[in-house]
Amino acid sequence: MKHKAARATINDVAKAAKTGKTSVSRYLNGEHHALSPDLKQRIEQAIAALDYRPNQMARGLKRGRTRLIGLIIADITNPYSVDVLCGIEAACRARGFTLLVCNTNNEIDQEQHYLQLLSSYQVEGIVVNAVGMREEALNRLQQSLLPMVLIDRKIPDFSCDVVGLNNVQAANDATEHLVKNGYRALLFLSEPLGLVNTRLERLQAFRQCCAGHTGVLCENAEAALSDAAAMDRIILDFYRRHADRPAALLVANGALTLQVARAMRRLDLDWGRKMGLLGFDELEWAELAGDGITTLKQPTWQIGYAALERVIQRIEGEATTIEEQTFHGELVVRGSTRPLA
Amino acid sequence: MKHKAARATINDVAKAAKTGKTSVSRYLNGEHHALSPDLKQRIEQAIAALDYRPNQMARGLKRGRTRLIGLIIADITNPYSVDVLCGIEAACRARGFTLLVCNTNNEIDQEQHYLQLLSSYQVEGIVVNAVGMREEALNRLQQSLLPMVLIDRKIPDFSCDVVGLNNVQAANDATEHLVKNGYRALLFLSEPLGLVNTRLERLQAFRQCCAGHTGVLCENAEAALSDAAAMDRIILDFYRRHADRPAALLVANGALTLQVARAMRRLDLDWGRKMGLLGFDELEWAELAGDGITTLKQPTWQIGYAALERVIQRIEGEATTIEEQTFHGELVVRGSTRPLA
DNA sequence: CTGTTAGCGCCTTCAG
DNA sequence: CTGAAGGCGCTAACAG
C-alpha cells in the first residue's frame, strides 16, 4: 500500500468552515482582529477536524521566504561541531527558523553539492562550520550570494562575517599556564598551518607569549591527523632533545589531541608525568585519560547561537559591515599539566 | 542592503534560450530524447549563463514529492547517534534524497513540534533515532501517517519497522567474555528499564547466559545518567558485597559507560585491576582511559544506512510487512576485562 | 469584516 | 519535436 496521505489543504478547511480561503489564510497568519468570533470558531474547528497544517512549500513559494537556514558542517563527528550545532539549533528555534543540516564529511565535492542544494531549497541564509574543513573547499564558497556566516575560520580574500574564539587570549592563557607550572620546553602542535587563520593566530600568540619569558624554549610542528608515524617521530624527537628540562605539548585542537594522546600512549610518555599536555577544545573524556588532560574549553554553544543571530541580522538587512565576533576560552586544569617541583 | 538575490526562474531561462518553459522543463527532467540538439544547446547555455537552478519548493509543490526525509534525533550529542546519522546521510546521497535533521534535545515537546514541522515541509518519510529518547515522547509518534522507521528501539503497541542491534547475541557475547576471563560476579547496569526493549532484551540475554554457568553470580541495577550519588552507591555496594571474587560491570550503553567510568574514578576502583568493566557502544577514547575499556561495538553506520533504505522501500510502496532488522555487534577487547589468574 | 482574483515557479496534459 | 494553458497550496491586493 502506497502512502497517499492526501493531506488536507486550505481549500478543504475553507469548505468545511463554509468560508473562503482568504479568511483561513488570515486566521493562520494571526490576523485575528479581522475575523468575527463566529468565523474564527468555525475555522478553528475545521482545522482541528481535518488535522490541517499549512504546506510550507506553497507558503515559501508564495511569500518568497522559507524561514529555512542551511548549515554546512565539515565533520559532524567532531564534538566541537556538534556543540555548535546545538547552539545554532536553539537560536533557530527561538527565532522561528528551521535548520537544514548538511555534513560534507570533509569531501570537497560535497560542499559544492550541498551549497547548490541549499540554495535550490531557497534557504534564506547559510552558516558554515568550517572546523576541520579543507582549504580548497572553503574557497569555493565565495560564489554564494546568500547571507552567510562562517564559524571558527576565515577565508583569505573573502570578506564574510565570522564567529569564533579569541585565539590570542586563549593561546596566551594556555601558554602562560604551562610556563607558570614550570614547563620550560614547549611544543605547539597543529595540523599543517596552511593559511588557516586559527592555527596561525594561535601559533603567533604562543610565540609571543614565549618570547616574554626567558629560559623557555619554544618550537612548533605540524602533523596530519592520520599520520601516526609522523606524530610518533615528532613527539619522541622533541622529548629526547629536551630530556634536561620539563617539556610540554600544546595541541591546537581536540581532534589532534586525541591522536596525540594515542601517540603518547604508544611511546609510553605519560602525560603529566613524563611530559605536559594541554589541548584546545574540551573533551568529555578529558578527566578519564590518565590523570586527566588539561584543556582550553571554547564556549561552543554560544558561538553557534551568535552565528545564527548574525545570519538573521543579515537576512533582515540589519547587518551593514562585515564583522568578526570572538568569544573567550576557558582553561580547565587537570593532571596533565600538574605543577612541577 | 537587503539580499534580494532574485534568482533566475525557468521563465528567464526560456526567454534567454528563445523557447518555451516546457522545453526547459523537459531538459531539466532528462527527457533529452525529445529535444533537438540545437535547442538543447541553447538551453544549456542559458542555464549556465543565468546560473539557474530549479526551485525545489515549486517542484515539490507541483509533483507532490519533495525527496525530503526527516530525521528525529533525541540527543545529537551522543556519538552513537552521530554515526547513525552519517549512515543515513550516505544513503540519502546515494538515493537522491535530502535529509532534514531535527534534534529534540530530549525535550519531550520538541518532538511533537518537529513532527509537525517535518510534515508541513512535506517530507516523504521519517527516521526516528530513538537512542536516549524518553518513553513518553516515543508514544506520541504513533499519530504520524508518514512512512517511518525506528532506530534502536521499539514502541510498545505500535507496529513500525525497526532497525537495530541483535541484542541477544551482543549481550551473550559480552557476558561470555566476562565469564571466560574469570569474572564470577557480574552486575548489569542500565538506565531505568521501563519498557525499553533494548534494555530488557540485553538484560534477559545476560541473565540467560549467566544461568548457563555455575558459580557465577548475576545481578542488575538501574541508574539515571545524572544521578552520580546513586551510581557511586550502587557500584561501591556491589564491589563490597563481592570482595571475595572477581567482579565486573556490564554497562548497557555508551553514555552510561562514561558516567560509570567517572564513578569508578571517584571511588578509586580501577577498571581492569579492582573490577572488570565492559560497555555497550564503542567509544573513541576507550583505549585511553586507564588500560583501556572493553566495548561492544555496534555497526552504527550500517544501521543508519539500512534504516534509510527501509524508509525508501516504504515510500516506494515496496514494503508490505512490518519488519525488524538487526545487526551483529562486535566485541573490542581491552584492558578493563583482562583475564584473571 | 469577508470573498474574489491573480499569480509565486514548476510540471504535465494536450494540441500543434 | 515544440509550445500554450492549467493548476499544485498558498498569500496578497483589491473589491464588496
Side-chain angles (χ1 to χ4, degrees):
Chain A
M1 181 199 85
K2 240 184 201 169
H3 272 268
K4 262 286 156 196
R7 308 177 43 73
T9 79
I10 198 173
N11 255 317
D12 302 330
V13 176
K15 233 167 284 174
K18 301 193 188 312
T19 174
K21 43 188 199 171
T22 313
S23 299
V24 180
S25 174
R26 288 207 177 96
Y27 177 87
L28 294 175
N29 292 294
E31 299 173 35
H32 291 208
H33 59 91
L35 296 172
S36 70
D38 172 51
L39 220 200
K40 204 153 55 169
Q41 190 85 45
R42 271 152 45 212
I43 294 178
E44 221 150 53
Q45 288 178 351
I47 288 183
L50 298 174
D51 187 34
Y52 167 75
R53 252 150 308 136
N55 181 331
Q56 296 293 348
M57 294 291 168
R59 224 186 245 219
L61 183 55
K62 180 68 198 168
R63 295 208 278 215
R65 37 171 253 182
T66 55
R67 305 282 89 174
L68 242 32
I69 297 272
L71 170 63
I72 295 188
I73 294 195
D75 174 17
I76 202 175
T77 272
N78 188 329
Y80 174 96
S81 296
V82 171
D83 285 348
V84 169
L85 188 157
C86 288
I88 294 177
E89 199 169 50
C92 278
R93 207 174 296 169
R95 305 293 297 263
F97 281 79
T98 301
L99 193 64
L100 230 44
V101 180
C102 300
N103 174 31
T104 65
N105 228 341
N106 234 322
E107 287 160 37
I108 303 188
D109 294 334
Q110 285 308 318
E111 182 170 315
Q112 198 65 8
H113 167 214
Y114 277 130
L115 218 48
Q116 309 225 123
L117 187 86
L118 289 175
S119 105
S120 77
Y121 273 104
Q122 314 293 108
V123 297
E124 298 184 46
I126 295 186
V127 178
V128 178
N129 184 337
V131 178
M133 196 169 277
R134 307 234 203 112
E135 293 180 74
E136 312 95 278
L138 263 186
N139 284 324
R140 299 226 228 137
L141 284 174
Q142 311 193 18
Q143 315 161 8
S144 169
L145 295 177
L146 285 162
M148 176 164 122
V149 171
L150 284 176
I151 282 179
D152 184 70
R153 208 194 288 180
K154 288 181 233 172
I155 304 181
D157 306 321
F158 175 42
S159 38
C160 175
D161 293 318
V162 182
V163 180
L165 181 70
N166 183 331
N167 291 303
V168 173
Q169 168 260 324
N172 201 71
D173 285 7
T175 313
E176 283 291 355
H177 169 75
L178 290 173
V179 172
K180 196 191 67 195
N181 279 8
Y183 295 96
R184 287 295 172 267
L186 309 181
L187 177 65
F188 178 90
L189 203 49
S190 70
E191 295 177 69
L193 292 167
L195 298 173
V196 180
N197 71 304
T198 49
R199 296 175 195 156
L200 295 170
E201 286 172 20
R202 290 173 194 180
L203 172 57
Q204 204 195 337
F206 163 76
R207 283 187 176 142
Q208 209 129 53
C209 185
C210 285
H213 297 278
T214 55
V216 178
L217 295 177
C218 283
E219 302 179 14
N220 76 290
E222 310 176 18
L225 277 179
S226 53
D227 191 348
M231 189 101 56
D232 287 359
R233 215 177 318 117
I234 291 169
I235 295 174
L236 193 55
D237 172 62
F238 174 73
Y239 179 71
R240 285 189 178 147
R241 283 191 290 106
H242 302 291
D244 59 329
R245 63 185 68 206
L249 264 31
L250 177 52
V251 185
N253 71 59
L256 195 58
T257 302
L258 176 61
Q259 302 307 328
V260 168
R262 289 196 172 133
M264 291 175 77
R265 254 306 161 106
R266 285 192 296 269
L267 300 169
D268 204 33
L269 293 175
D270 296 2
W271 45 85
R273 297 198 46 73
K274 297 201 177 162
M275 192 157 49
L277 175 62
L278 193 164
F280 275 76
D281 297 340
E282 174 68 317
L283 308 160
E284 64 171 6
W285 47 272
E287 61 179 283
L288 295 176
D291 295 330
I293 296 178
T294 299
T295 60
L296 196 128
K297 180 180 186 171
Q298 296 193 41
T300 39
W301 195 92
Q302 285 84 340
I303 289 175
Y305 202 101
L308 190 87
E309 298 225 293
R310 184 66 187 170
V311 193
I312 292 181
Q313 278 181 21
R314 279 224 168 275
I315 292 173
E316 311 291 8
E318 291 163 11
T320 57
T321 62
I322 303 293
E323 271 177 29
E324 182 177 351
Q325 194 176 349
T326 65
F327 287 79
H328 272 221
E330 174 200 350
L331 202 60
V332 182
V333 179
R334 301 199 179 86
S336 70
T337 58
R338 74 160 56 99
L340 297 174
Chain B
M1 179 198 86
K2 240 183 199 167
H3 273 269
K4 263 285 155 195
R7 308 180 43 71
T9 80
I10 200 174
N11 255 317
D12 302 330
V13 176
K15 234 167 284 171
K18 300 193 190 312
T19 174
K21 41 187 199 173
T22 314
S23 299
V24 180
S25 174
R26 288 208 177 98
Y27 176 87
L28 294 175
N29 292 294
E31 300 173 35
H32 291 211
H33 58 89
L35 297 171
S36 69
D38 173 51
L39 219 200
K40 203 152 57 168
Q41 190 86 44
R42 274 155 40 215
I43 293 178
E44 221 150 53
Q45 287 179 352
I47 289 182
L50 298 173
D51 188 32
Y52 166 75
R53 252 152 307 135
N55 181 329
Q56 296 294 349
M57 296 289 169
R59 224 187 247 222
L61 183 55
K62 181 66 199 170
R63 295 208 277 215
R65 36 170 253 181
T66 55
R67 305 282 89 175
L68 242 33
I69 298 273
L71 170 63
I72 295 189
I73 294 195
D75 175 15
I76 201 174
T77 271
N78 188 328
Y80 174 96
S81 296
V82 171
D83 286 348
V84 169
L85 187 157
C86 287
I88 294 177
E89 200 170 49
C92 279
R93 209 174 294 168
R95 306 292 298 262
F97 281 78
T98 300
L99 193 64
L100 232 44
V101 180
C102 301
N103 174 31
T104 66
N105 228 341
N106 234 321
E107 287 161 38
I108 302 188
D109 294 334
Q110 285 308 318
E111 181 170 314
Q112 198 65 7
H113 167 214
Y114 277 130
L115 218 48
Q116 309 224 124
L117 187 85
L118 289 176
S119 103
S120 76
Y121 273 105
Q122 314 293 107
V123 297
E124 299 184 44
I126 295 187
V127 178
V128 178
N129 184 335
V131 177
M133 196 169 276
R134 306 233 204 112
E135 294 179 74
E136 313 95 278
L138 263 187
N139 285 324
R140 297 226 230 137
L141 283 175
Q142 310 192 18
Q143 313 161 9
S144 169
L145 295 177
L146 285 162
M148 176 164 121
V149 171
L150 284 176
I151 282 180
D152 185 68
R153 208 194 289 180
K154 288 180 235 174
I155 304 181
D157 305 323
F158 175 42
S159 36
C160 176
D161 294 316
V162 182
V163 180
L165 182 70
N166 183 329
N167 290 304
V168 173
Q169 168 260 324
N172 201 71
D173 285 7
T175 313
E176 284 290 353
H177 169 75
L178 290 173
V179 172
K180 195 190 68 194
N181 279 7
Y183 294 96
R184 287 295 172 267
L186 308 181
L187 177 65
F188 178 90
L189 204 49
S190 70
E191 295 178 68
L193 292 168
L195 297 174
V196 180
N197 71 302
T198 50
R199 295 175 196 158
L200 295 169
E201 286 172 20
R202 290 173 193 180
L203 173 57
Q204 205 196 335
F206 163 75
R207 282 187 175 143
Q208 209 129 53
C209 184
C210 285
H213 297 277
T214 55
V216 178
L217 295 176
C218 284
E219 302 179 14
N220 76 290
E222 311 176 17
L225 278 180
S226 53
D227 191 348
M231 189 102 56
D232 287 359
R233 216 177 318 116
I234 291 169
I235 295 175
L236 194 56
D237 173 61
F238 174 73
Y239 178 72
R240 286 189 177 147
R241 284 190 291 104
H242 302 292
D244 57 329
R245 61 184 70 208
L249 264 32
L250 177 53
V251 186
N253 71 57
L256 195 57
T257 303
L258 176 62
Q259 301 307 328
V260 168
R262 289 198 171 132
M264 291 175 77
R265 255 304 161 107
R266 285 192 296 268
L267 300 169
D268 205 33
L269 294 175
D270 296 1
W271 46 86
R273 297 199 45 73
K274 296 199 177 164
M275 190 156 52
L277 175 62
L278 194 164
F280 274 76
D281 297 341
E282 174 66 320
L283 308 160
E284 65 171 6
W285 46 273
E287 62 179 283
L288 294 176
D291 295 330
I293 296 178
T294 298
T295 60
L296 195 129
K297 179 181 186 173
Q298 297 193 40
T300 39
W301 196 90
Q302 285 84 340
I303 289 175
Y305 202 101
L308 190 85
E309 298 225 293
R310 183 68 187 169
V311 193
I312 292 181
Q313 279 181 19
R314 278 222 170 277
I315 292 172
E316 311 292 9
E318 290 163 11
T320 57
T321 61
I322 303 292
E323 271 177 28
E324 181 175 352
Q325 194 176 349
T326 65
F327 287 79
H328 273 221
E330 174 200 351
L331 202 60
V332 182
V333 180
R334 300 199 180 86
S336 70
T337 58
R338 75 159 56 97
L340 298 173

